[in-house]
Amino acid sequence: MDPTLRRFLPAWRATALAVLRDPGVLLILLLAPVIYGFFYPWPYGTEAVTRVPVAVVDQDGSNLSRQITRFAQASPRIDVRLVTGDEQAARQALWRGEIEGYALLPRDLKRDVARGAAAGVTIEGNGAYALLNKSVLYGFSEAVGTVSAGIEIRRLQATGQSAAQARASRSPLNTQLVPLFNPTEGYGSYVVPAVALLILHQTLLMGCAMLAGTWAEAGRLRAVPAAWLGRLAALSGFGLMTGLFFLGWIFVLQDYPRGGNPPAAVLLLLFYVPTVCALGLLLGCWFRDRERALQVILFTSLPLAFLSGFSWPSEALPVPLQWLGGWLPSTAGIQASLRLNQMGAPLADVLPWLGRLAAVFGVALAGLLRAGRLRSGSYPRR
């Protein structure tokens, strides 16, 4: 047998057994992704926000204001819980959390419309909750816009136009909104495919660092390059299973947008997983303590999410943070995965991200081999 294989295969087998025999590492590398995969998407199962509680402040009391109220009640986005003429009562209900917004139909609304004067409907929403605020604004805007369109069409018909001519005159150019890559415009379809790559990143990083910390505590970091590659291959095997579990099962089970470019998405995992594993082993060699590695890496999840560019545009970050985020494996993995798996981009479009992963892998592997030799005593200690 080739000498390299004689070192590679025992190291691969010993590492796989070490993972299976270590409850802490096994929990993080295998069980945690399974638990996250089933329970993290659960709160977002309804996808789109509907029936948000609202109020209508009707100070006009005309048939026009009542028509707007009826259209608002028919909207699936909002649920009219209160109709009152007192704005202060609606504002108090908003402060108590009973509603998330209200529409103010001012006095003389119908009179202004009949005269052709400018008339406005004020919509107040709870801006502290972006998704609820969006539903309130869209729901009332659609109701008011529908009534307004009907009034304009009737005016045009009064000039002698037919109903079809009036509709064409009122809206000569129509806009058709088609959401790409997230047809339901659901929050789960937006956030889970990106967070799945971050979950994979963090569980691999913590598990590999904990295992390397265990080796350091036991004085077993010493290994030749072939043995380190065997260790890395074993850990990458667990990571690939987790990645395929997310891409090939969880996305199907939750019916998220998927399958845009499956071969390239699998190729991405072959770049992404070994890079994260090598970085995790390097961090474990640096910390030399399994608990410390877990404590430090655990608190990096939220910063990595913001630096990855899916929850906050990276262009809005300071330039140093843009540069840092661009070289993080989590950013490269998330951005490339969204393009390949959700958007169906060709492989050529994500080559820069794959190149960054390859560069980080090379640096991490070189640092890992050097750290292993230094810790093992191959170099004299001072």
Side-chain angles (χ1 to χ4, degrees):
M1 181 183 292
D2 183 78
T4 301
L5 285 179
R6 283 204 304 269
R7 294 177 174 87
F8 178 91
L9 293 177
W12 180 90
R13 180 176 181 275
T15 303
L17 291 175
V19 171
L20 297 176
R21 292 170 179 170
D22 189 322
V25 175
L26 182 64
L27 174 65
I28 291 178
L29 279 185
L30 289 182
L31 297 183
V34 173
I35 294 173
Y36 271 116
F38 283 107
F39 287 98
Y40 182 77
W42 176 63
Y44 314 119
T46 55
E47 287 279 16
V49 178
T50 59
R51 312 305 297 173
V52 177
V54 296
V56 174
V57 180
D58 185 359
Q59 296 180 342
D60 191 37
S62 63
N63 59 348
L64 175 61
S65 64
R66 288 191 294 270
Q67 185 181 17
I68 293 175
T69 302
R70 287 195 299 270
F71 273 82
Q73 291 170 333
S75 173
R77 297 181 184 269
I78 52 180
D79 180 15
V80 179
R81 300 281 183 85
L82 174 66
V83 179
T84 178
D86 183 6
E87 184 181 5
Q88 188 61 27
R91 195 167 287 174
Q92 291 289 341
L94 178 62
W95 291 338
R96 289 193 301 266
E98 298 172 0
I99 60 173
E100 297 299 333
Y102 62 89
L104 175 61
L105 309 180
R107 290 181 179 86
D108 301 326
L109 175 65
K110 182 179 179 180
R111 187 185 67 178
D112 291 340
V113 171
R115 291 177 174 178
V121 174
T122 302
I123 302 172
E124 302 281 352
N126 186 356
Y129 297 92
L131 292 178
L132 300 181
N133 186 58
K134 175 184 175 182
S135 293
V136 172
L137 298 180
Y138 275 35
F140 278 127
S141 297
E142 289 168 353
V144 174
T146 302
V147 174
S148 176
I151 295 172
E152 183 65 22
I153 289 174
R154 285 195 296 270
R155 282 181 177 172
L156 293 172
Q157 286 181 289
T159 64
Q161 296 186 16
S162 66
Q165 290 173 332
R167 285 193 295 269
S169 298
R170 193 256 170 196
S171 182
L173 293 176
N174 293 316
T175 301
Q176 184 178 6
L177 301 179
V178 180
L180 298 176
F181 319 123
N182 184 0
T184 63
E185 296 185 86
Y187 186 76
S189 298
Y190 149 69
V191 71
V192 174
V195 173
L197 272 292
L198 183 59
I199 291 172
L200 178 60
H201 181 278
Q202 292 301 85
T203 52
L204 282 177
L205 208 63
M206 289 187 286
C208 294
M210 288 177 62
L211 194 59
T214 303
W215 294 336
E217 293 172 358
R220 290 189 284 121
L221 277 181
R222 181 177 182 178
V224 296
W228 273 112
L229 291 177
R231 293 173 172 179
L232 184 59
L235 292 170
S236 298
F238 290 107
L240 288 173
M241 287 190 296
T242 302
L244 293 175
F245 168 72
F246 277 109
L247 299 183
W249 174 250
I250 292 299
F251 289 0
V252 175
L253 179 67
Q254 300 293 338
D255 197 24
Y256 292 140
R258 63 193 179 277
N261 191 343
V266 173
L267 179 63
L268 168 64
L269 288 178
L270 295 176
F271 276 78
Y272 184 62
V273 170
T275 301
V276 178
C277 289
L279 190 59
L281 288 174
L282 180 60
L283 291 175
C285 293
W286 182 36
F287 289 122
R288 295 181 60 81
D289 184 288
R290 57 184 282 141
E291 285 76 19
R292 186 180 304 164
L294 179 63
Q295 293 166 354
V296 173
I297 295 173
L298 185 64
F299 289 99
T300 63
S301 300
L302 191 58
L304 290 179
F306 280 108
L307 290 174
S308 63
F310 80 92
S311 62
W312 182 260
S314 57
E315 294 80 6
L317 295 173
V319 174
L321 291 182
Q322 291 183 36
W323 183 88
L324 174 63
W327 285 99
L328 291 172
S330 55
T331 300
I334 290 172
Q335 292 296 330
S337 178
L338 293 179
R339 286 164 170 78
L340 295 174
N341 201 42
Q342 271 67 43
M343 302 169 66
L347 182 63
D349 287 356
V350 299
L351 286 180
W353 297 112
L354 296 183
R356 294 187 184 192
L357 286 173
V360 173
F361 174 76
V363 173
L365 182 61
L368 178 63
L369 297 178
R370 177 173 174 80
R373 293 177 61 193
L374 288 172
R375 299 302 185 187
S376 66
S378 296
Y379 290 93
R381 296 181 181 271
R382 294 186 179 181

